[in-house]
Amino acid sequence: MTSIAKPLVRHKQSRTNALGLTIRDYEGGMSTLCAGCGHDSVTAALIQAAWELDLEPHRVGKMSGIGCSSKTTAYFMKQSHGFNSVHGRMPSVTSGAAAANRTLTYIGISGDGDSLSIGLGQLSHAIRRNVNMLYVLENNGVYGLTKGQFSASADVGSKSKKGEANEQSPIDPVLLALTLGATFVARSFSGDKKQLVPILKAGLKHKGFGLVDVISPCVSFNDHEGSTKSYAFTREHEVEVVHTDFVPLRREITMPETEEDVAVVQMHDGVSLRMRSTSEQYDPTSRDSAYAHVRACQARGEIATGLLFVDESGRDMHDMLNTPPTPLVEVPFERLCPGRDELEALMERYR
Amino acid sequence: MLRVHPAMRGIVTVANHVAGPADAASPGRPHTVHRMREHTVEVVSDSGEGAQKCSQIFGAVSAKMGNGVWTVEIIPAEIQPPARAPEGASGNRIRLGAGQVTNWGDDTNLVVAFNEQVLLARHRAGALARDATILLEDKWATDDDADIRDAWLQAMREIADVGYRVVTVPMEERCLTLVDDARKGKNMFALGMLAFIYQRNLDLVFEQIAHTFRKKSDAVYARNVDLVRLGYDWAGAHLDFRIEITPEPNDRPMVVMNGNEAIGMGAIASGMELCAMYPITPATSVSHYLSEVFERFGGVVHQAEDEIAAAGVAIGASYAGKVAFTITSGPGLALKTEFLGLAVMTEVPLVVVNVQRGGPSTGLPTKVEQSDLLAALFAQPGDAPRVVIAPATIEECFHVMTTARRIAEAFRAVVIVLSDANLATGVQPFPRPEVDTRWHAEPADLSAVLAGRKPYGWDESTGLSRRIVPGQRGGMHTVTGLSHDEGSKVAYSAGVHGRGMAMRSRKIAVLSSLLTPPTPYGAEEGDLLIVGWGSTKGAIEEAVDRARAAGLSVASLHLRFLSPMEPGLTAIFQRFRRVATVEINYSDTMGDPYVTEENRRRGQLSWLLRAQTLVDVDCWTRVPGEPLRPGAIVQAMHDLMPPRGDA
């Protein structure tokens, strides 16, 4: 993607993570998006999350489709591999990559056009298949690269820059994912890095498909009065319904095991999530509760945010396909292919 | 005894090669044994009555006994078409020979029909020899339903004057002595009759039944064996002829399978272990076969949500270090176009198997056609060079997969394999492939990338480069469908764009330089050269033999590589006075309204050859929804012959 190389200046006092890397090592090229674009804040949160999780950069695949959001894979983790595929088709390419090498961390970056219009089918089936990946949906309600047409996530009544109101009902990725059986569903706001970083970390550690819908305003085409995806509207209507702390393994001992009104969800690798609901009726480990709550917020004109639902017990694509634990790319031919003798035996049937 | 319904008096005729009327009195009566070089048999029934199982088992047993065999499925497009309807005819044609059989031949010599309506379908299709013997279920002649009796009579009138020998058989009545539902037994009874007529080894028949019904209970096997014996004994007691086709000696171990099974097994032998697909006729059975085998050996058959996603999954897997393949048919190829462009642009190796069927659009889902050639080469906005190979036989379906994988990998290219419905469902014995360790695929190289190596470090003269896969240390880049330079950096400048185009195109030229020129069949020079591709090879070459025997100066040339073209074609063409393609696709006929030499739409290979060689290549094409018959090709050769004295 178009990007401008950033000079890598190392400060002696820079903090390093367990791999000895500074946060600068997780950065990418200079963004060419519009100044103030929500996507750049999401990029910054991703850099922070990856650095804090000590992800080995070369073992990360940054996957994207087409659109402003999909361009952002160029702006983080330049020491990682990436695949900028075609419009709406990133989920299938990632499914294939995950099938061939299950040990890499896949970060999919998409937008509301890429995910909810041209790519709605692929997104839905990646959720059903529970592909092991973090799926960040940078949601701004418009097509930015083609100058501001409404997308499928635009709310009814939300106005375009020219003043036209959208009349078609929106597709809400959170409700969609809950319906389709997603095992990790979150919503956040690009302007709330404090909330977003732990959610992204949890999504990266989640076994299965981790959907994070991030309201990420488009400053050029959808940040005006009358838009329901503007900074001002989102700030005003955002309601954090679950507050999530991400607890890495090495800090676990210092954290209290349980606490009133805090749900602790154990993830693989020994890390855990501490989720505190802001409402007594809300249980982020219950799909029905999450669905009802998000719908209720929507009816009140609120945008429910937080890690809304998580289920760590789900079977992912590899469980369902019953694939071997060693990634296909590393299995030697003799073991994977039946080999000469077995082929002969197979052909015996056709003698 | 030979049962002849009263309605059929005067219809039953005796074919020349069949002995006179049966001696009804003696059950152990003598049979005239007719020794043949070849014979073609069909079993047809309503869909769901098992004619296909019967003929598949018969074909497999015949192949195991050393006969040359070619089977073609007769399939209705619907899963449950109406009963007793010509359009619902379902079954197989099996051509048996003393030596190798390379195509389905011209017409059928013996038919087993479960009702007169499916028989009519074959009669109307011109599938039956004028002197064919017909073994026909007789229950319909005396059915309780007057409409059915009437339909029977009308059918008998329709076929009365042809010269068929019709033998009515109480299949239903006999089967009901063993089973409650004769619909589930007739096919095994028919198999028994065929086993008697063609002197098949019953132990082999039972072995094949055991294999075919291996997932069913022992009771099913025992019942089927009893039904086969019932049919065998009935035929022995009531028929007056048997047919003997002595196999030519052959020491080579053989395997018997259809083209889709050969592609599946070829894929395994080639070291590809990820197949992404979406169900589509007639390609799907490849993945059925693969998932059965992969369950034992690892590997993934990924059933995607649609054709597009199937291509995406294959590309993703190849990107991550494998060479994956996807399998489809025409409508699926149309949908995958977008991803083919991405694979070409990103140089991710990809093998696409297209089992062609009749088109455009949904077309003829179960029938053969060769109409996707130009789509395989060109269906893509922008210039997206790729490799197109067409196997010509079922044996080649096996080997083409290794060739395709190796080219895809070495050239970082998209390789399209064009099979078709004829190869997919045809069953043929071929020499058992000797697995060669050179076919094997190495696991992806995941070692650290040396500093300075670029993801598209094109060799200037060949356009080739070594890929870098995710998980490797170093060489980090983002693969993109945007125009890019060696470093995968997006660059819109004209120079960079043109250079990438040239590098991707050059690979095709390099591959072309590695191919050997094809050899004409029949003669090196002469009056007429027929050029074909794909599954028509057997029929074309048989036609060449027959036409040459009749004194025509004709030869044929069969192409496997369509992109790049095999080299040396122009030189070969110049040794013939006329060149024409024979293909199963559409072309305008000269003399049709408005059709001129300038606007004539030609057979797809013909179009391609004219463009590539500047030779005036004519064409003879048909879209009958079935394989070409050698007899029809011989006729076409007569028509295409340049007039005497034409230079």
Side-chain angles (χ1 to χ4, degrees):
Chain A
M1 306 302 306
T2 34
S3 63
I4 301 155
K6 269 190 229 174
L8 183 59
V9 183
R10 283 179 189 281
H11 299 282
K12 284 210 175 96
Q13 63 274 36
S14 297
R15 283 171 55 212
T16 55
N17 65 7
L19 299 173
L21 299 173
T22 69
I23 197 155
R24 298 291 318 268
D25 294 317
Y26 287 81
E27 289 180 349
M30 196 92 78
S31 170
T32 57
L33 296 170
C34 312
C37 177
H39 298 358
D40 285 335
S41 308
V42 182
T43 298
L46 271 166
I47 291 167
Q48 182 80 26
W51 178 71
E52 288 182 11
L53 281 179
D54 309 319
L55 293 187
E56 283 189 276
H58 76 283
R59 301 195 52 78
V60 170
K62 303 174 293 177
M63 315 298 283
S64 65
I66 297 292
C68 292
S69 56
S70 292
K71 291 174 71 173
T72 65
T73 53
Y75 314 141
F76 65 91
M77 298 183 79
K78 64 175 175 299
Q79 301 192 53
S80 298
H81 298 269
F83 197 147
N84 171 225
S85 68
V86 277
H87 203 13
R89 315 291 181 226
M90 173 268 281
S92 67
V93 175
T94 311
S95 302
N101 191 346
R102 63 186 295 173
T103 60
L104 302 186
T105 300
Y106 295 101
I107 302 175
I109 309 288
S110 183
D112 37 318
D114 200 54
S115 286
L116 302 178
S117 289
I118 194 167
L120 183 62
Q122 295 221 338
L123 167 64
S124 302
H125 289 275
I127 291 172
R128 291 186 55 231
R129 209 163 263 131
N130 211 8
V131 180
N132 200 356
M133 69 182 295
L134 169 69
Y135 192 105
V136 180
L137 198 165
E138 300 180 348
N139 190 344
N140 58 18
V142 287
Y143 290 88
L145 270 186
T146 50
K147 305 199 188 295
Q149 300 83 0
F150 283 125
S151 83
S153 72
D155 292 303
V156 172
S158 184
K159 285 194 176 136
S160 74
K161 211 171 174 182
K162 286 179 188 160
E164 298 155 19
N166 173 51
E167 293 186 46
Q168 296 177 44
S169 64
I171 299 173
D172 180 343
V174 163
L175 293 176
L176 176 81
L178 285 169
T179 309
L180 291 169
T183 52
F184 184 106
V185 184
R187 174 144 47 213
S188 189
F189 171 41
S190 63
D192 189 351
K193 195 174 174 185
K194 208 161 152 273
Q195 181 195 54
L196 184 55
V197 171
I199 287 177
L200 292 173
K201 285 162 74 178
L204 282 163
K205 283 291 173 188
H206 174 65
K207 180 192 169 207
F209 191 91
L211 176 79
V212 184
D213 175 37
V214 190
I215 308 298
S216 175
C218 172
V219 287
S220 295
F221 298 107
N222 209 10
D223 196 29
H224 45 267
E225 200 173 332
S227 160
T228 58
K229 293 275 192 295
S230 66
Y231 278 110
F233 187 93
T234 310
R235 281 215 178 85
E236 200 175 317
H237 295 84
E238 182 198 0
V239 177
E240 185 179 54
V241 296
V242 185
H243 179 80
T244 304
D245 282 326
F246 181 87
V247 189
L249 184 60
R250 62 178 187 276
R251 278 204 282 140
E252 197 172 25
I253 325 145
T254 61
M255 301 295 288
E257 267 305 300
T258 48
E259 203 177 289
E260 279 295 308
D261 72 12
V262 169
V264 179
V265 175
Q266 287 295 336
M267 311 190 81
H268 72 297
D269 290 358
V271 298
S272 57
L273 299 178
R274 292 161 41 82
M275 304 166 74
R276 182 166 44 78
S277 305
T278 53
S279 151
E280 276 177 23
Q281 297 89 42
Y282 190 84
D283 175 5
T285 62
S286 156
R287 188 180 301 276
D288 292 342
S289 166
Y291 195 93
H293 209 85
V294 173
R295 286 288 286 168
C297 284
Q298 209 175 47
R300 291 194 297 269
E302 297 169 0
I303 304 163
T305 62
L307 177 40
L308 301 166
F309 175 72
V310 63
D311 171 10
E312 276 302 301
S313 66
R315 284 160 61 78
D316 75 353
M317 178 177 79
H318 287 281
D319 296 335
M320 292 188 247
L321 282 173
N322 199 19
T323 46
T326 319
L328 276 184
V329 278
E330 287 176 22
V331 180
F333 181 81
E334 302 75 47
R335 263 186 46 217
L336 192 53
C337 175
R340 190 195 172 100
D341 293 345
E342 286 290 351
L343 261 176
E344 297 274 318
L346 274 178
M347 280 192 271
E348 200 58 30
R349 213 181 102 180
Y350 292 91
R351 207 166 49 83
Chain B
M1 61 178 284
L2 186 71
R3 291 167 51 113
V4 179
H5 191 268
M8 289 181 46
R9 294 232 164 84
I11 294 174
V12 174
T13 58
V14 179
N16 291 337
H17 69 279
V18 177
D23 174 357
S26 60
R29 43 195 294 280
H31 305 94
T32 310
V33 176
H34 303 276
R35 290 190 175 78
M36 305 276 188
R37 282 286 303 164
E38 62 163 85
H39 213 243
T40 301
V41 55
E42 281 188 19
V43 186
V44 276
S45 69
D46 283 348
S47 190
E49 286 186 316
Q52 298 210 351
K53 276 256 154 55
C54 162
S55 30
Q56 281 158 5
I57 294 172
F58 178 71
V61 169
S62 298
K64 286 181 181 184
M65 290 180 68
N67 281 125
V69 169
W70 185 282
T71 73
V72 175
E73 285 182 5
I74 302 156
I75 337 174
E78 296 86 14
I79 295 293
Q80 285 194 318
R84 292 179 41 77
E87 62 272 22
S90 167
N92 277 81
R93 168 190 277 196
I94 306 129
R95 186 182 185 196
L96 301 174
Q100 201 197 3
V101 177
T102 62
N103 66 88
W104 77 329
D106 287 314
D107 30 45
T108 293
N109 306 111
L110 185 135
V111 191
V112 181
F114 288 22
N115 67 56
E116 81 289 349
Q117 296 301 315
V118 295
L119 174 66
L120 274 187
R122 304 304 297 152
H123 163 72
R124 288 173 186 167
L128 312 180
R130 301 190 69 80
D131 60 355
T133 302
I134 296 165
L135 300 176
L136 178 61
E137 165 69 71
D138 71 353
K139 72 172 290 237
W140 312 105
T142 53
D143 199 273
D144 292 342
D145 185 336
D147 289 345
I148 290 181
R149 292 199 304 274
D150 190 47
W152 166 279
L153 274 176
Q154 288 196 20
M156 290 305 119
R157 280 191 204 109
E158 187 174 335
I159 63 170
D161 298 330
V162 181
Y164 300 140
R165 183 194 187 200
V166 181
V167 179
T168 54
V169 183
M171 288 193 243
E172 176 106 357
E173 185 192 305
R174 298 301 302 147
C175 289
L176 287 175
T177 63
L178 282 181
V179 292
D180 295 336
D181 180 2
R183 274 177 61 86
K184 300 233 185 270
K186 272 184 204 175
N187 62 338
M188 291 296 117
F189 183 90
L191 178 60
M193 291 198 293
L194 294 178
F196 173 80
I197 295 169
Y198 292 94
Q199 310 182 44
R200 303 290 74 156
N201 178 334
L202 279 184
D203 289 338
L204 277 180
V205 173
F206 298 152
E207 199 178 282
Q208 195 64 30
I209 288 176
H211 173 71
T212 304
F213 298 98
R214 63 192 179 282
K215 288 174 181 167
K216 300 276 171 67
S217 68
D218 290 349
V220 170
Y221 167 77
R223 195 195 66 198
N224 284 332
V225 164
D226 289 345
L227 284 161
V228 167
R229 286 193 195 283
L230 194 69
Y232 190 94
D233 292 345
W234 185 91
H238 297 90
L239 296 181
D240 56 7
F241 67 96
R242 297 183 91 172
I243 290 161
E244 187 169 306
I245 305 160
T246 311
E248 289 167 359
N250 176 20
D251 296 339
R252 297 186 66 181
M254 307 287 276
V255 286
V256 186
M257 60 182 84
N258 70 33
N260 276 2
E261 286 167 334
I263 284 175
M265 193 171 281
I268 294 166
S270 77
M272 289 192 286
E273 55 279 306
L274 196 138
C275 167
M277 48 72 70
Y278 181 76
I280 188 167
T281 303
T284 311
S285 65
V286 173
S287 57
H288 291 169
Y289 176 72
L290 281 174
S291 56
E292 220 175 275
V293 177
F294 280 166
E295 234 166 65
R296 286 164 54 202
F297 299 106
V300 176
V301 174
H302 183 106
Q303 181 180 319
E305 60 268 31
D306 57 45
E307 292 281 358
I308 299 172
V313 167
I315 287 173
S318 285
Y319 161 68
K322 302 303 298 182
V323 179
F325 76 110
T326 177
I327 170 141
T328 189
S329 189
L333 183 71
L335 287 163
K336 291 182 198 298
T337 313
E338 173 193 44
F339 260 134
L340 296 190
L342 180 71
V344 170
M345 191 63 143
T346 56
E347 303 190 49
V348 168
L350 177 69
V351 174
V352 180
V353 178
N354 175 13
V355 185
Q356 298 167 96
R357 65 191 220 185
S361 190
T362 314
L364 296 171
T366 60
K367 316 281 190 191
V368 63
E369 215 166 277
Q370 299 180 308
S371 298
D372 298 351
L373 176 59
L374 295 180
L377 263 89
F378 301 119
Q380 179 66 57
D383 184 59
R386 52 227 177 178
V387 178
V388 179
I389 320 176
T393 64
I394 290 168
E395 181 178 10
E396 288 181 16
C397 286
F398 177 93
H399 293 287
V400 74
M401 296 306 284
T402 298
T403 308
R405 192 216 90 215
R406 289 179 69 90
I407 292 173
E409 199 166 31
F411 287 80
R412 298 182 67 173
V414 172
V415 180
I416 299 181
V417 174
L418 287 178
S419 176
D420 66 34
N422 185 23
L423 292 171
T425 58
V427 174
Q428 188 195 25
F430 60 85
R432 183 163 158 161
E434 288 288 323
V435 178
D436 189 327
T437 46
R438 284 173 303 178
W439 300 351
H440 290 183
E442 296 295 321
D445 177 9
L446 293 175
S447 59
V449 176
L450 293 177
R453 213 184 105 201
K454 295 193 164 163
Y456 299 99
W458 294 305
D459 177 289
E460 202 62 38
S461 66
T462 62
L464 299 177
S465 56
R466 250 178 74 202
R467 63 175 166 151
I468 296 169
V469 301
Q472 281 189 279
R473 279 182 192 276
M476 272 62 185
H477 66 286
T478 292
V479 172
T480 176
L482 285 158
S483 196
H484 51 260
D485 64 10
E486 293 96 325
S488 199
K489 287 271 176 291
V490 174
Y492 295 102
S493 79
V496 170
H497 185 56
R499 178 140 187 276
M501 290 278 204
M503 291 296 103
R504 291 188 292 273
S505 186
R506 192 151 307 161
K507 296 189 292 187
I508 303 294
V510 171
L511 175 58
S512 162
S513 76
L514 300 172
L515 303 177
T516 45
T519 315
Y521 177 84
E524 287 293 325
E525 56 182 30
D527 289 341
L528 175 64
L529 178 72
I530 296 296
V531 190
W533 63 283
S535 70
T536 51
K537 174 171 179 279
I540 291 175
E541 292 184 354
E542 184 171 329
V544 167
D545 289 342
R546 288 196 216 167
R548 290 189 68 80
L552 294 192
S553 168
V554 59
S556 68
L557 190 69
H558 215 74
L559 303 180
R560 270 72 168 193
F561 278 84
L562 286 323
S563 171
M565 284 277 187
E566 288 158 55
L569 296 185
T570 313
I572 296 170
F573 290 178
Q574 280 163 355
R575 301 203 294 266
F576 292 85
R577 292 170 63 215
R578 179 172 284 182
V579 181
T581 64
V582 164
E583 309 174 60
I584 313 176
N585 53 39
Y586 184 77
S587 63
D588 291 333
T589 304
M590 284 308 297
D592 283 353
Y594 296 98
V595 173
T596 66
E597 268 300 331
E598 271 186 352
N599 70 14
R600 181 182 179 198
R601 299 182 65 256
R602 299 164 197 276
Q604 299 198 358
L605 178 61
S606 156
W607 234 331
L608 213 52
L609 290 175
R610 292 168 72 91
Q612 289 289 82
T613 65
L614 295 183
V615 172
D616 183 5
V617 178
D618 200 351
C619 62
W620 180 86
T621 74
R622 289 292 179 274
V623 280
E626 60 175 37
L628 298 180
R629 299 178 189 186
I633 300 173
V634 171
Q635 187 54 51
M637 287 168 173
H638 281 281
D639 298 343
L640 288 164
M641 269 292 152
R644 289 278 152 218
D646 176 20

